[in-house]
Amino acid sequence: MLRFIAALLLATAASAALSAQAVEADPLNSSECVAARNELERALSDPAASRQERTERLARARRQAALLCLGREAGGRERSGASEPAQAVPPPVISVRPAPPPRAVASPPPPLIPRAAAITACDAAGCWDSDGRRLNNMGPLLAGPRGLCTVQGGLLNCP
């Protein structure tokens, strides 16, 4: 049990030492970086300076903060790890083909509307129509080859 407690205390002490080193090694928490950031804030919020003075002071403060906090010059593109040089890629070429003219669509043929047949001649047993069909009398109606026909004036309507 004593060994366990001793190992636990040793691990806690080692962890505290490592975290203290990590905090000290962090350049963003260093006193120089904090001072550079404070100077940058003052340069940003200084309304009394002329525009040119303010621009120059702001540029100096940015460079100083980047150098102290990030470890490089402001505006640099340095990154940790291996980097490949930038490659120039040509812009895409987009070709637009003109739309083909619309195809001529043949209009459908007009619907065939059968003409009504007319009664041309009648006798006691039936009548003849203008198509040459014989229509037999069935009482007051005429019967055609496919069924009963209706007579409206002189025109026939047969199925």
Side-chain angles (χ1 to χ4, degrees), residues 6-149:
L8 187 61
L9 286 174
L10 184 61
T12 305
S15 173
L18 286 176
S19 66
Q21 288 175 356
V23 168
E24 290 174 11
D26 187 11
L28 293 177
N29 292 330
S30 68
S31 60
E32 294 88 9
C33 180
V34 171
R37 288 188 306 192
N38 290 338
E39 177 60 30
L40 182 60
E41 287 296 321
R42 283 192 296 273
L44 283 171
S45 62
D46 186 12
S50 69
R51 183 177 180 139
Q52 185 177 2
E53 291 172 358
R54 184 176 179 199
T55 304
E56 290 172 1
R57 183 178 173 196
L58 186 58
R60 279 192 313 268
R62 282 183 178 157
R63 276 194 304 273
Q64 188 67 19
L67 184 61
L68 293 174
C69 297
L70 303 176
R72 61 182 170 87
E73 287 293 323
R77 297 286 181 199
E78 297 176 19
R79 293 188 178 163
S80 61
S83 62
E84 296 180 14
Q87 297 179 359
V89 178
V93 177
I94 300 172
S95 61
V96 179
R97 283 187 285 166
R103 286 190 267 161
V105 178
S107 60
L112 297 174
I113 301 173
R115 297 179 183 248
I119 296 175
T120 55
C122 290
D123 56 21
C127 296
W128 294 93
D129 67 0
S130 59
D131 291 337
R133 292 182 294 187
R134 173 74 180 167
L135 306 171
N136 296 322
N137 279 338
M138 290 187 70
L141 300 175
L142 294 173
R146 293 180 297 205
L148 294 176
C149 299

